Amino acid sequence: MIVLETKLFPLRLDDSLLTRQRLLARIGEPGSARFIGLVAPAGFGKSTLARQWTQSHHALTSWISLDPADNSATTFWSYVVEGLRRNGLDDIGELRAHLQEAAHTNVRVLVTALINQLHQYQDRHFVLVLDDLHHIANKDIFDGLTYLVDFAPANFTLLVTSRNEPSFPLARWKVKRYAKLLYSADLVFDSQEVADLFALALDVKVSPEAAARVVGSTGGWAAALQLLSQADLKRADGALSNDKFEQALAQAKKEIDDYVAQEVLDDLPSHLRQFILEMAGAPRFDAPLCDQVRSAQDSHQILQELEARNLFLIPLDDAGQWFRFHELFRDGALHYLRQRQPEVHLQHCRNVVRACLERRLYLESVQLIMHIQAWDLLQSTLESIGNQLVRQGYHLYIIEWLNDAPQELLDQSLRLQLLKIWCLLYDNQFAAIPDLVEAVKKHPLLPEQDDTVRHELRLLEAYAARSRKDIQTASALTQSVLQDLQQINAPIKSLAYFGLGNDYYGLGRLDDAIAALKEAVTLGKLEQRFSTVLSSLGLLLWIMQIKGEFLHAINLFRQTELWVQSYHKDGPEPNIVSCWLNSSLVLIHCALGNQEHAERFLKPMLSFVDNAEPQQKLITYYTWAEFNRHCGDYPQALRHYEQAREQLEYNQRELAAFAPPVLAGKLHCLLDKGDMASAESLCALILGKSLTETSPFEAMENLSAQARYFLRKQQWRNLQETAELILALAENHGSSRYQAQAKLLHAAAMGGQNQSEAAQRLISEALALGESNDFVAMFLADDAYLRPLYANLDIAETSPAYLEKLQVTSSSQNAAPTREEEPQTQTEGLLEELSKREMEVLTLIYEGLPNKKIADRLFLAPATVKAHIRNIYGKIGAASRTEALARARHLGLL
């Protein structure tokens, strides 16, 4: 037999290819396994990895590139023997004799002779690479290879690459530790490898965020990354920008699509190719949906065959019922259809849309409609299911779809106009709503609509009135709609109660707002309105944190969270974050001293803030600043307070009614930082604001910040008067949070005026309120001034667990600081003198730097900084940053 020389040449590697050390380590040394299998679809870098592995070790490697012509046992084993001969297996005379008989006798005779021959060369390690084994289907060949692996000597390794799982007893081999297998999920590039690849191929720096975006767009598919790495991505600054990446991906898209068509689809059996093309339009599918689209009954068997071939099929559930195609593969299949069979492409997509609508896969249906730009189908579908999609929280999708659709489509459809207004409302785009409502009221089809549509329009008129700050009109319209809804079964009552909750909050009627919003949450669940439940719960928890009902708020959130998590169990979750909800939970957990929990709810907000609406930006920046303040990162907190103030200043009329207390937060931060000069000017500005011109939250926070300023200045009379004002407001609005804070501050004022009995009574009342609501942060904020008041306090009625959180004991003997008191020196007031390095750390804490920045500034490890801080706390007699700074100022260290 004549051997084709090039079939025995190993793959030649380009210098620009990344060596995949992570995967090479997983494969291990030659001899660590008898069989190594790299199994994945085309383009996953199987052959490249195989060659990198053989090059990284000093084994005698025989490389055979297989094709369909090698499916004959004689041809196949001839190449195996010849490959081994060229790479160190010298005496093959007996093997050649058996090759002549292989076509007529049991192939095991040949393989047995081969095993015996390999065994004679124990000083050498042989590696046989069978590249593209998927071309082989001959059972006799697989039987021979199985026999070879089962009885292979220790100096032999078989490595195969294949697009489908080869017919070997892999389970048995895994149990016996004969086999190591890497599949497509193992072969995808991770973010670090993407960054390394672009650095090697193009000398382009890729940030971790940009690398993650590349992985998300390509799925880590080696072929796509290789095509991308050949694009023009080089920039003058050597960095990869978002725009440059998107441009390069668009350039490479046609080549990727062509690769899918030529290397994958054209190479498939016709029945598999036809199935893929029929289902390519479906974002996800199961066997029944495939049967429905194809009018067939064999989809389950075909899906199993696709799985066995590793054909870019990604399971979506543990039960193995739902799947999707790899995104780039799906795009390539659709491109294949558009180029070669455009009419068939449209028909296949319409079949998928029809089946998805029948299965209530609404989101997938409209996404495919947008893909084929079937505008007539878009109108009829959104008119039918648009409200359902809004209820499920997909309003951002609908806004995008309607913006991309022809304007005349929206102009002629009254229902689509109403749908867009609801979507804008849920996205907090209030400014556009009044004009759109007026346009709907003039629509010629309005008289023909049923009562539900007219009630919807009146509710939208109410929201338009709210955007104009006409609360009286909004409330009157909403109450009227609620009365009419008693007579009909229209699922929009939750929307009405949500509107009322907003009205009552804007009017400062917090208890009425809570009642309305609780009703909105309850009805929203019954009406299956996902977005309404989130929005109503968010504002409800915001009010509850104002009132200090922290534990109740958390319990209510947990109860609703179960409903939220189960809502989209059969479909994708909308990519939305409720600004009110997450902000409320951040503030609550900060007040409870749970910074880790607070950070969990803050992070999702930060990914949306750049493109958010003004109200969302205002709330997010304020919440971010509050989180930074409670963490002791005062410079960052002040920066975010300023960003919040800018949003409020630019949108004063629109945002004033729902504005958080930004200036008060900034004053708190300056006081915590110890910047009394800046605090003084800001306090004067806040003093000029009338209590009647602000919301209850802003009024109570403004007074709270002023009171803390008076406390630091030891202006006891001003402090007492301000605390009394806070208490009156807090009692009027039912806020236990501000009642407790008022009593604490009032107690400090009494202590400063040597009225210890009154001070201890107020402290006891504050502790009772604090324990019932688990208030922590307010007791620690001014700890240095409050701790002396605990000295002779009867705390028997307060639980030890709560006192431990507050670091309170009844034996504290610290004297309250007075204006006349001379600062102590270090040696007089410290348990042990601070070292030079500890003083440096303390000074940087005073400047507001977090641990990491302190470490960078002093060229220390973060763990070392933590150790210094622990030492400072021990020497200075403090348990927190705030307390340490207060004690340090009192001792004259700062």
Side-chain angles (χ1 to χ4, degrees):
M1 171 186 157
I2 299 176
V3 172
L4 180 61
E5 293 289 330
T6 53
K7 287 170 64 68
L8 298 176
F9 291 170
L11 181 68
R12 183 175 180 180
L13 299 181
D14 189 274
D15 290 339
S16 64
L17 291 174
L18 177 71
T19 301
R20 308 201 57 193
Q21 298 292 352
R22 172 176 64 90
L23 299 181
L24 295 179
R26 286 190 59 181
I27 296 173
E29 298 286 328
S32 61
R34 300 183 184 186
F35 173 84
I36 298 168
L38 307 179
V39 183
F44 272 83
K46 303 180 296 296
S47 301
T48 300
L49 179 61
R51 184 56 181 147
Q52 289 179 349
W53 182 77
T54 60
Q55 282 187 335
S56 66
H57 300 288
H58 301 292
L60 300 171
T61 301
S62 303
W63 186 288
I64 303 173
S65 299
L66 298 168
D67 60 49
D70 299 318
N71 206 33
S72 156
T74 301
T75 303
F76 177 87
W77 290 108
S78 294
Y79 276 107
V80 169
V81 170
E82 179 60 19
L84 290 169
R85 183 193 70 79
R86 296 187 182 194
N87 290 280
L89 196 65
D90 301 327
D91 186 7
I92 62 165
E94 182 182 357
L95 294 178
R96 287 189 185 280
H98 287 302
L99 272 174
Q100 303 302 318
E101 305 169 3
H104 310 288
T105 62
N106 191 331
V107 76
R108 285 197 177 189
V109 176
L110 169 64
V111 177
T112 299
L114 176 58
I115 293 171
N116 292 336
Q117 192 74 11
L118 290 167
H119 183 67
Q120 294 179 18
Y121 296 90
Q122 289 298 311
D123 58 332
R124 310 174 190 177
H125 194 100
F126 296 91
V127 174
L128 173 62
V129 178
L130 301 178
D131 193 22
D132 289 341
L133 187 65
H134 52 270
H135 289 305
I136 304 302
N138 189 315
K139 184 178 181 299
D140 290 340
I141 293 176
F142 278 102
D143 286 345
L145 290 172
T146 300
Y147 186 74
L148 174 60
V149 172
D150 278 339
F151 297 97
N155 63 332
F156 175 79
T157 300
L158 173 64
L159 188 157
V160 307
T161 71
S162 177
R163 295 183 182 180
N164 50 52
E165 193 159 291
S167 300
F168 293 129
L170 296 176
R172 173 164 60 82
W173 287 356
K174 288 178 183 178
V175 170
K176 292 189 172 186
R177 299 184 181 274
Y178 289 177
K180 289 184 180 179
L181 288 102
L182 273 65
Y183 294 96
S184 53
D186 304 302
L187 297 177
V188 295
F189 279 62
D190 61 23
S191 297
Q192 184 57 55
E193 288 175 321
V194 166
D196 293 343
L197 172 65
F198 280 67
L200 175 66
L202 295 167
D203 193 25
V204 172
K205 295 179 182 178
V206 181
S207 68
E209 295 76 16
R213 190 175 67 254
V214 172
V215 171
S217 299
T218 63
W221 185 27
L225 290 169
Q226 189 61 29
L227 291 170
L228 260 179
S229 69
Q230 297 172 23
D232 180 20
L233 283 173
K234 190 73 168 72
R235 286 179 57 102
D237 58 4
L240 177 64
S241 69
N242 291 353
D243 293 341
K244 201 69 177 176
F245 165 68
E246 295 298 337
Q247 180 183 346
L249 186 60
Q251 291 174 356
K253 192 69 172 64
K254 184 180 184 304
E255 294 176 310
I256 294 172
D257 290 341
D258 290 342
Y259 184 92
V260 170
Q262 297 164 13
E263 295 297 321
V264 182
L265 293 174
D266 283 343
D267 196 42
L268 287 176
S270 59
H271 72 290
L272 294 181
R273 181 170 58 250
Q274 181 63 23
F275 177 91
I276 291 169
L277 296 177
E278 286 178 321
M279 295 308 304
R284 62 185 176 116
F285 45 82
D286 62 358
L289 181 68
C290 296
D291 282 341
Q292 192 172 352
V293 171
R294 301 170 54 243
S295 300
Q297 300 296 322
D298 60 350
S299 298
H300 180 71
Q301 291 81 4
I302 293 180
L303 286 171
Q304 288 183 320
E305 191 172 351
L306 290 176
E307 276 195 287
R309 285 176 171 263
N310 284 281
L311 268 174
F312 297 91
L313 195 65
I314 300 173
L316 299 178
D317 59 359
D318 294 336
Q321 296 180 346
W322 283 92
F323 302 90
R324 70 173 177 87
F325 288 124
H326 187 293
E327 203 61 39
L328 291 179
F329 177 71
R330 177 176 178 246
D331 290 346
L334 290 171
H335 174 77
Y336 182 102
L337 269 174
R338 284 194 301 270
Q339 294 297 311
R340 304 190 188 187
Q341 305 172 34
E343 294 302 321
V344 175
H345 166 243
L346 290 176
Q347 188 55 52
H348 284 344
C349 289
R350 285 182 175 269
N351 290 344
V352 172
V353 169
R354 184 173 60 253
C356 286
L357 286 173
E358 291 179 13
R359 292 283 299 275
R360 298 187 178 182
L361 302 175
Y362 297 142
L363 188 64
E364 292 85 345
S365 304
V366 185
Q367 287 174 331
L368 188 52
I369 290 171
M370 293 300 297
H371 168 73
I372 61 176
Q373 298 187 350
W375 305 125
D376 58 329
L377 192 54
L378 178 68
Q379 178 178 341
S380 61
T381 301
L382 286 183
E383 287 179 344
S384 174
I385 67 167
N387 282 332
Q388 181 71 14
L389 288 174
V390 173
R391 291 178 194 175
Q392 294 174 351
Y394 298 119
H395 49 275
L396 295 179
Y397 290 89
I398 298 176
I399 292 174
E400 182 179 346
W401 296 333
L402 293 178
N403 287 341
D404 290 343
Q407 182 59 41
E408 55 267 24
L409 187 75
L410 195 61
D411 293 339
Q412 68 190 18
S413 173
L414 173 65
R415 290 185 176 273
L416 290 189
Q417 291 181 29
L418 284 171
L419 184 66
K420 183 173 183 178
I421 298 173
W422 282 118
C423 293
L424 294 174
L425 175 69
Y426 280 117
D427 194 35
N428 296 304
Q429 297 187 41
F430 304 116
I433 291 175
D435 291 342
L436 293 174
V437 169
E438 289 303 312
V440 170
K441 289 166 65 177
K442 298 174 184 177
H443 200 284
L445 295 179
L446 183 59
E448 304 173 14
Q449 303 304 309
D450 58 23
D451 287 342
T452 300
V453 171
R454 284 192 284 273
H455 290 318
E456 273 191 60
L457 181 56
R458 287 165 64 199
L459 280 178
L460 288 172
E461 286 185 84
Y463 281 107
R466 288 183 188 100
S467 70
R468 300 191 302 267
K469 309 308 173 192
D470 186 357
I471 304 301
Q472 286 187 333
T473 299
S475 295
L477 280 168
T478 305
Q479 294 283 10
S480 174
V481 171
L482 278 173
Q483 288 180 358
D484 293 343
L485 289 177
Q486 304 302 323
Q487 312 301 321
I488 64 172
N489 185 25
I492 57 175
K493 290 181 183 178
S494 61
L495 299 171
Y497 279 106
F498 175 58
L500 284 179
N502 279 266
D503 295 342
Y504 291 140
Y505 177 71
L507 294 169
R509 296 163 55 181
L510 301 187
D511 289 336
D512 291 335
I514 285 178
L517 292 167
K518 283 184 176 179
E519 191 70 12
V521 171
T522 301
L523 291 171
K525 292 178 182 178
L526 293 173
E527 295 169 0
Q528 290 294 297
R529 289 190 176 273
F530 179 81
S531 298
T532 305
V533 169
L534 280 188
S535 300
S536 301
L537 181 66
L539 185 53
L540 175 59
L541 264 58
W542 181 265
I543 298 171
M544 293 175 78
Q545 67 89 17
I546 295 172
K547 290 171 70 69
E549 300 174 8
F550 297 157
L551 301 182
H552 184 193
I554 291 174
N555 287 334
L556 185 58
F557 167 71
R558 287 172 178 166
Q559 293 168 16
T560 309
E561 187 180 30
L562 296 174
W563 180 86
V564 169
Q565 290 174 345
S566 65
Y567 190 92
H568 294 100
K569 61 183 179 182
D570 295 326
E573 287 192 25
N575 190 25
I576 60 174
V577 173
S578 171
C579 186
W580 284 116
L581 180 60
N582 282 53
S583 295
S584 303
L585 291 164
V586 172
L587 297 180
I588 287 170
H589 283 296
C590 282
L592 295 174
N594 299 328
Q595 268 67 38
E596 289 186 8
H597 293 299
E599 187 174 16
R600 169 196 163 197
F601 294 104
L602 177 65
K603 281 185 175 180
M605 300 170 61
L606 304 185
S607 60
F608 288 87
V609 66
D610 290 340
N611 299 315
E613 294 300 312
Q615 185 182 75
Q616 294 169 315
K617 285 187 175 182
L618 169 62
I619 299 297
T620 300
Y621 285 136
Y622 170 77
T623 305
W624 199 354
E626 285 287 287
F627 174 78
N628 289 141
R629 178 170 76 86
H630 281 84
C631 291
D633 188 353
Y634 302 129
Q636 284 297 321
L638 291 171
R639 184 169 75 88
H640 297 315
Y641 283 126
E642 184 60 23
Q643 289 175 308
R645 187 198 62 77
E646 289 173 357
Q647 288 296 321
L648 185 56
E649 186 175 296
Y650 297 151
N651 304 276
Q652 180 68 34
R653 184 177 180 278
E654 179 184 345
L655 303 179
F658 288 85
V662 177
L663 292 181
K666 184 175 181 180
L667 179 52
H668 282 304
C669 187
L670 292 171
L671 293 171
D672 291 340
K673 185 183 178 186
D675 185 354
M676 294 303 294
S678 300
E680 183 172 1
S681 59
L682 184 57
C683 186
L685 177 63
I686 294 175
L687 278 168
K689 296 175 74 71
S690 169
L691 294 179
T692 58
E693 295 175 357
T694 57
S695 68
F697 187 21
E698 187 174 6
M700 290 186 285
E701 268 299 302
N702 284 348
L703 289 171
S704 171
Q706 292 169 33
R708 291 188 65 219
Y709 171 79
F710 295 141
L711 173 64
R712 300 301 176 90
K713 298 293 286 185
Q714 300 175 26
Q715 297 176 6
W716 306 122
R717 188 60 189 169
N718 286 340
L719 174 59
Q720 179 181 345
E721 291 174 355
T722 307
E724 289 170 350
L725 284 174
I726 298 172
L727 183 61
L729 272 176
E731 289 176 342
N732 184 47
H733 293 291
S735 174
S736 57
R737 168 186 177 181
Y738 288 101
Q739 288 179 48
Q741 188 162 46
K743 291 177 184 294
L744 270 179
L745 294 166
H746 197 174
M750 292 296 97
Q753 299 174 76
N754 297 318
Q755 299 183 34
S756 58
E757 186 175 337
Q760 290 183 3
R761 174 180 55 80
L762 287 164
I763 284 284
S764 296
E765 293 173 2
L767 282 172
L769 284 168
E771 183 176 12
S772 62
N773 294 278
D774 209 24
F775 299 151
V776 175
M778 70 172 65
F779 285 87
L780 299 178
D782 300 296
D783 189 68
Y785 295 89
L786 297 173
R787 187 167 295 278
L789 301 178
Y790 302 139
N792 299 308
L793 186 64
D794 181 8
I795 54 176
E797 295 182 1
T798 307
S799 72
Y802 182 60
L803 291 173
E804 186 177 351
K805 289 183 182 179
L806 307 186
Q807 299 137 26
V808 169
T809 66
S810 60
S811 59
S812 176
Q813 299 299 321
N814 295 316
T818 63
R819 183 175 294 157
E820 294 78 15
E821 186 178 23
E822 289 296 323
Q824 295 171 298
T825 64
Q826 282 195 35
T827 54
E828 290 174 332
L830 291 175
L831 300 174
E832 182 183 340
E833 188 172 351
L834 297 186
S835 68
K836 181 181 177 181
R837 179 65 82 186
E838 287 164 353
M839 280 300 301
E840 291 175 343
V841 172
L842 180 62
T843 302
L844 294 178
I845 291 175
Y846 177 69
E847 292 179 13
L849 271 62
N851 289 3
K852 186 178 185 303
K853 291 187 178 179
I854 293 174
D856 293 341
R857 182 80 64 88
L858 298 178
F859 302 101
L860 299 174
T864 305
V865 171
K866 287 183 179 180
H868 283 312
I869 292 174
R870 283 196 301 270
N871 292 339
I872 293 170
Y873 286 174
K875 293 179 180 182
I876 209 168
S880 68
R881 282 179 176 242
T882 302
E883 184 182 357
L885 292 175
R887 289 279 296 147
R889 285 192 295 270
H890 178 59
L891 295 169
L893 298 175
L894 297 174

